[in-house]
């Protein structure tokens, strides 16, 4: 029998233990969800001891502040950053703030932790939440003392009446504040008054993690829980035809369950189906699963070959594609016909797997009345109705609580693995943890799409393009949503393709799509990866064609000021691409990298810049060839993400993005043959290791006062082109295909 | 099928098949979930523990080979390496954190045998530990810093 590790009530809200966090019982969760009018409507006469003016915070009588974080933590520090915002405007003492992880619930608004937008979307509303509470605490104190509100101020977990020297702690004020009506438009602090926003606060989970106490998906357990490993069909769309050898007397084996293949209709992120091996412990499930001899049914995807797809993508960009509406400027064809110095190049990138350090895993407990899921989900809210459908329950009977995500990069916004746990728990009538093995993770991912780009330009004596034609072809993510979808969606093209920030008098952009025989999905920075790669390398090719310094050249292509008018949907106000900010990160990275100082023979500097997720990132890599392999010695990154909450997190995300970007630049290559992914684990899908990680310097542009932008993703796109350009500078060899092997 | 193990100084008796890797004994049978599964193939180091003081991949160790050996896991690392744990926290080394137990077990074994490692020593000792989030520069910094404290304060 498997020992149970924890015995927390399944109704409890999971938050890893630590001084500032704790498990909350049912009442804590309900209090959080209730606003004051609701409490009054319930006929509550006694003064509540907890002050919970909104969804985001509650203050107990002992002064403990519970801040609710409704986004998922995957290493981007969001549990810390959102709490910084709330605690700052509340003027709370950081050591008395606990973090409560929200369950998936529409009451929070969007909970999709994707697209590097948690701060962009929540900065203002969480500041307002904290400020509202602060005002109410001041009102409560003023009322208690019989003085005017504007004579009292809040500071570090207490309200002070300076004239009389009286002070009351937030805990002491909680029950009185709770009786007050919730005001609207509470004043926000001035930037200079911020105590946590803009400061390098240590992550709330850092202590737990360094002590092995953080609760990731696989670390959560329930009494009487079984563990399952699922064997899935190697090709998409196949199902179980037969199992030749079903063991029956294996000690610790609970059940072998056949799961249906994804229905053609139904939830978008439906499980793949296969054979679920449920056992008392993980090793038994793994061993039995490995020994199964399963015959699979066929599917049209069984002939899918990623090499053939690459040929098809290359062919697609060799001929006219679908013009991006509104992208055409001047007359590209006339300039090409007139002749001049012409450059053209084709770039290729392969499929990639997310490979989060923690493979997908989920715990589900389904009974006839309810369903509880604890899992590393990027979007617990959108998962909830899918889980409900799988469990055969209504969403109100379903609780979905995110654990810590051991990395995600987009993989864990698809809840297919949680749905597997739900189905198996329903079948075996006990809690089930579904554990994906690394091999399952690499083979059955929603892959980052393989792509091809073709660039063609006529340049003048300064390397400036007088005409620029660019084409991009890739299997669109929309193919997983719609059976008929083929063409790249506008939002995919707006990731570094249709919003090219360079001044070109004659310009055309065309795209093409192909339906793949595999699931595609979004991976950290998505289409920006290949679009930034091809555009930045091609720009470098223009500069080198006329012997110009790549940074000088690039600056000459960007207007001195103004905002980009991109084809299609305009960017939200305040988030338009600002040429001055783009130039600024370039100029800063030039200084930071000491760009103008010559490097030794055989060592090259490569530069790339990219605007994505509303942020600006310029990257310089210093690289050489060593023993026939690229070696990156130094990385320099400048980030302008507007207002930032935790500068140290921003720096860490850029450091991590360099490593992530180098992994995909040097190793990332998923191939499919006969519908099946060829790679399976880190021996044939390698990751960058410590000895290959460059020393990294990051500079953050002080831009407080500007709208906050994304941080988790935008560091990735410039890395691959900066490496390619650095290797060209070092060796004279152009690398137009990823990964760069030698 | 009983296997007598010494885990974090405690004698435990585990009734599992002898081929069960130590990783799953720790996680499923002893509730020591700080040690992580990352690949099951000896490639990633997420499952690193100390066996008689050496950093070892627990996913590759059948439980039948372990009687008589002293096994230590992340859960008791701070008792012996408080400075290392502290520098890890102070430097905000962890991003998602999933690899970090393994990183810390490899780092502490390095410092046990080599209190003043060079960057090359660090790279060599830590090369078996993948960090998909890419925290390598902070891992190097934290180890160097902890090594300084080891010399000065005798901690660890
Ligand atoms: S899980 Fe043991 S080395 Fe990866
Ligand atoms: S911190 Fe996420 S894998 Fe290392």
């Amino acid at each position: 029998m498997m020992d149970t590790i924890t015995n927390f009530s399944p109704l409890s809200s999971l938050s890893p233990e630590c001084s500032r966090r704790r498990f909350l019982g049912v009442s804590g969760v309900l209090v959080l969800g209730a606003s004051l009018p609701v409490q009054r409507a319930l006929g509550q006469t006694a003064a509540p001891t907890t002050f919970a003016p909104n969804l985001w915070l509650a203050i107990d009588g002992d002064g403990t502040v519970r801040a609710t974080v409704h986004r998922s933590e995957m290493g981007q520090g969001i549990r810390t950053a959102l709490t910084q915002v709330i605690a700052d405007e509340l003027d709370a003492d950081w050591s008395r703030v606990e973090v409560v992880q929200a369950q998936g619930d529409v009451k929070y608004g969007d909970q999709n932790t994707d697209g590097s937008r948690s701060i962009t979307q929540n900065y203002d509303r969480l500041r307002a939440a904290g400020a509202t509470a602060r005002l109410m605490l001041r009102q409560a104190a003023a009322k208690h003392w019989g003085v005017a509100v504007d004579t009292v101020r809040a500071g570090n977990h207490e309200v002070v009446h300076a004239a009389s020297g009286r002070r009351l702690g937030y805990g002491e004020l909680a029950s009185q504040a709770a009786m007050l009506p919730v005001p609207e438009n509470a004043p926000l602090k001035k930037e200079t008054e911020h105590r946590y926003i803009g400061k390098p606060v240590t992550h709330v989970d850092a202590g737990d993690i360094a002590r092995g106490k953080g609760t990731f998906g696989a670390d959560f357990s329930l009494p009487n829980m079984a563990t399952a490993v699922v064997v899935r069909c190697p090709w998409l769309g196949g199902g179980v035809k037969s199992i030749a050898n079903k063991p029956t007397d294996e000690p610790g084996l609970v059940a072998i369950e056949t799961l249906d293949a994804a229905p053609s209709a139904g939830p978008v992120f439906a499980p793949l189906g296969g054979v679920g091996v449920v056992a008392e412990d993980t090793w038994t499930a793994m061993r039995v699963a490995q020994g199964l001899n399963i015959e699979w049914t066929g599917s049209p995807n069984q002939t899918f070959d990623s090499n053939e797809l690459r040929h098809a993508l290359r062919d697609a960009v060799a001929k006219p594609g679908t013009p991006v509406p509104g992208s055409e400027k001047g007359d590209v064809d006339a300039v090409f016909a007139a002749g001049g110095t012409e450059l053209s190049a084709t770039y290729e990138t392969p499929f990639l797997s997310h490979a989060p350090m923690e493979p997908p895993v989920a715990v589900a407990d389904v009974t006839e009345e309810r369903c509880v899921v604890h899992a590393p989900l990027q979007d617990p809210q959108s998962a909830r109705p899918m889980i409900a459908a799988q469990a055969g329950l209504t969403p109100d009977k379903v609780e979905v609580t995110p654990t810590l995500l051991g990395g995600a990069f987009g993989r864990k916004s698809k809840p297919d693995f949680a749905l597997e746990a739900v189905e198996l728990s329903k079948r075996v009538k006990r809690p089930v943890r579904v554990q994906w093995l690394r091999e399952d993770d690499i083979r059955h991912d929603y892959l980052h799409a393989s792509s091809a780009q073709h660039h063609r330009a006529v340049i003048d004596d300064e390397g400036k393009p007088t005409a620029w034609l660019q084409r991009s072809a890739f299997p669109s993510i929309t193919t997983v949503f719609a059976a008929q979808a083929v063409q790249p969606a506008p939002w995919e093209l707006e990731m570094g393709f249709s919003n090219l920030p360079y001044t070109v008098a004659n310009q055309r952009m065309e795209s093409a799509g192909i339906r793949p025989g595999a699931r595609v999905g979004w991976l950290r920075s998505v289409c920006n990866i290949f679009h930034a790669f091809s555009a930045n390398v091609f720009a470098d090719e223009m500069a080198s064609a006329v012997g110009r310094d790549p940074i000088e050249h690039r600056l000459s292509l960007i207007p001195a000021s103004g905002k980009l008018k991109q084809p299609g949907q305009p960017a939200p106000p305040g988030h338009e691409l600002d040429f001055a900010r783009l130039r600024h990160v370039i100029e800063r990275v030039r200084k930071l990298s000491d760009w103008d100082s010559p490097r030794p023979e055989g060592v090259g500097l490569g530069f790339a810049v990219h605007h994505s997720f509303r942020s600006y990132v310029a990257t310089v890599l210093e690289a050489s060839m060593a023993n026939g392999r690229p070696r990156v010695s130094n990385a320099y990154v400048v980030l302008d993400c507007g207002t930032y909450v935790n500068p140290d997190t921003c720096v860490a995300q850029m450091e991590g993005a360099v490593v992530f970007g180098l992994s995909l630049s040097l190793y990332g290559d998923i191939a499919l043959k006969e519908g099946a992914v060829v790679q399976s684990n880190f021996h044939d899908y390698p990751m960058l290791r410590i000895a290959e990680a460059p020393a990294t310097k990051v500079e953050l542009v002080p831009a407080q006062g500007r709208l906050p932008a994304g941080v988790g993703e935008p560091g990735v796109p410039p890395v691959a082109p900066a490496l390619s350009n650095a290797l060209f500078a070092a060796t004279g060899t152009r690398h137009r295909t990823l990964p760069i092997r030698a | 099928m009983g296997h007598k193990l010494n885990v974090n100084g405690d004698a435990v008796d585990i009734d599992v098949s002898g081929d069960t890797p130590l990783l799953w004994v720790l996680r499923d049978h002893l509730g020591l979930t700080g040690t992580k599964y990352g690949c099951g193939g000896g490639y990633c180091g997420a499952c690193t523990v100390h066996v008689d003081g050496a950093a070892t991949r627990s996913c590759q160790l059948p439980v039948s080979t372990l009687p008589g050996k002293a096994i230590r896991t992340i859960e008791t690392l701070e008792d012996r390496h408080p400075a290392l744990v502290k520098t890890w926290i102070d430097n905000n080394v962890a991003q998602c954190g999933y690899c970090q137990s393994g990183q810390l077990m490899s780092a502490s074994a390095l410092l046990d045998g080599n209190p003043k490692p060079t960057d090359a020593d660090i790279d060599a000792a830590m090369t078996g530990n993948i960090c998909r989030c890419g925290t390598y520069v902070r891992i190097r910094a934290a180890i160097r810093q902890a090594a300084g404290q080891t010399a000065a304060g005798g901690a660890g």
Side-chain angles (χ1 to χ4, degrees), chain A residues 641-697:
Chain A
C641 60
T643 293
Y644 49 81
V645 173
N646 191 327
D648 189 56
T649 304
C650 298
V651 169
Q653 286 302 299
M654 295 304 108
E655 293 165 354
V658 167
V659 172
F660 195 93
L662 287 178
S663 278
L664 73 87
S665 302
L666 295 171
Y667 298 118
D669 191 0
I670 290 288
L672 292 98
K673 285 209 190 330
E674 294 176 356
V677 170
V678 173
Q679 291 74 19
S680 62
N681 207 320
F682 295 127
H683 65 293
D684 53 8
Y685 189 66
M687 296 296 144
L688 203 79
R689 290 175 186 270
I690 191 167
E692 305 161 289
T696 303
K697 276 195 190 147

Side-chain angles (χ1 to χ4, degrees), chain A residues 471-676:
Chain A
R471 296 183 180 135
S472 182
F474 53 94
S476 168
I477 289 168
T478 58
T479 58
V480 301
F481 291 100
Q484 305 310 323
V486 178
Q487 292 304 318
W491 58 266
E492 292 175 298
L493 300 173
E494 280 157 22
M495 291 185 165
F497 182 72
S498 61
N499 51 359
L500 203 68
Y502 309 124
T503 307
V504 191
N506 302 284
Q507 177 173 282
R508 190 160 70 228
M509 300 163 172
E510 298 167 352
S511 72
I514 296 180
R515 283 194 70 84
R519 306 192 290 187
V520 292
W522 44 93
L523 172 132
R524 190 179 188 179
S525 80
V526 206
C527 307
N528 288 292
I529 294 173
F530 41 73
H531 290 146
F533 176 65
S534 55
N536 275 283
V537 177
F538 192 63
D540 203 80
E541 299 199 38
M542 293 181 193
S544 77
V546 294
R548 242 185 126 183
D549 176 84
I551 288 187
E552 276 299 327
H553 170 258
R554 196 70 63 90
L555 287 168
S556 76
L557 305 187
I558 304 168
S561 62
K563 309 268 170 76
L564 176 76
K565 280 188 199 56
Q566 62 187 41
Q569 192 89 350
H575 287 303
E576 305 91 346
L577 192 157
D578 181 331
F579 294 123
R581 292 174 74 182
L582 191 69
R583 295 178 71 93
H584 185 70
V585 291
I586 297 173
E587 272 152 5
R588 277 180 92 121
V589 86
R590 178 181 199 159
K591 273 205 199 76
L592 182 69
S593 63
D594 204 4
W595 173 266
D596 296 304
S597 295
R599 290 339 198 234
E601 183 66 28
V603 178
L605 291 181
F607 154 79
V609 65
H610 196 66
H611 174 262
S612 62
F613 305 94
R614 308 163 298 285
S615 281
Y616 305 77
V617 179
T619 300
V620 167
L621 296 182
E622 184 189 73
S624 56
M625 294 299 289
N627 304 320
R629 292 281 306 158
R631 199 188 95 82
V632 183
S633 40
N634 283 288
Y636 306 91
V637 184
V638 177
L639 164 69
D640 173 357
C641 60
T643 293
Y644 49 81
V645 173
N646 191 327
D648 189 56
T649 304
C650 298
V651 169
Q653 286 302 299
M654 295 304 108
E655 293 165 354
V658 167
V659 172
F660 195 93
L662 287 178
S663 278
L664 73 87
S665 302
L666 295 171
Y667 298 118
D669 191 0
I670 290 288
L672 292 98
K673 285 209 190 330
E674 294 176 356

Side-chain angles (χ1 to χ4, degrees), chain A residues 2-3 5 74-75 201-203 209-212 216 218-219 281-283 287 353-355 357-358 405-407 409 437-438 648 652-653 655-656 659-660 681 683 687-691 693-694, chain B residues 17 19-21 24 27-29 31 33-34 36-39 43-44 74-75 78 85 89 92 94-101 104 123 126-130 132-134 136-140:
Chain A
M2 192 176 129
D3 294 343
I5 299 160
M74 59 190 97
V201 174
T202 304
H203 284 193
I209 286 168
R211 297 179 180 100
F216 295 88
D219 304 333
D281 68 280
T282 316
W283 181 244
R287 234 182 5 174
S353 179
H354 296 76
M357 208 64 226
E358 171 202 51
L405 280 58
F409 313 117
L437 306 182
R438 177 59 64 196
D648 189 56
Q653 286 302 299
E655 293 165 354
V659 172
F660 195 93
N681 207 320
H683 65 293
M687 296 296 144
L688 203 79
R689 290 175 186 270
I690 191 167
Chain B
S17 71
D19 64 347
T20 308
W24 299 114
R27 292 188 55 83
D28 286 356
H29 301 275
T33 56
K36 306 299 185 198
Y37 165 77
C39 70
Y43 312 118
C44 78
I74 185 71
E75 281 83 357
E78 197 173 17
V85 171
I89 297 168
N92 256 331
Q95 288 187 25
C96 82
Y98 195 79
C99 73
Q100 298 295 341
S101 300
L104 278 154
D123 284 358
M126 303 300 295
T127 198
N129 290 81
I130 293 173
R132 179 61 161 145
C133 298
Y136 298 129
V137 293
R138 290 188 187 217
I139 288 172
R140 274 194 209 120

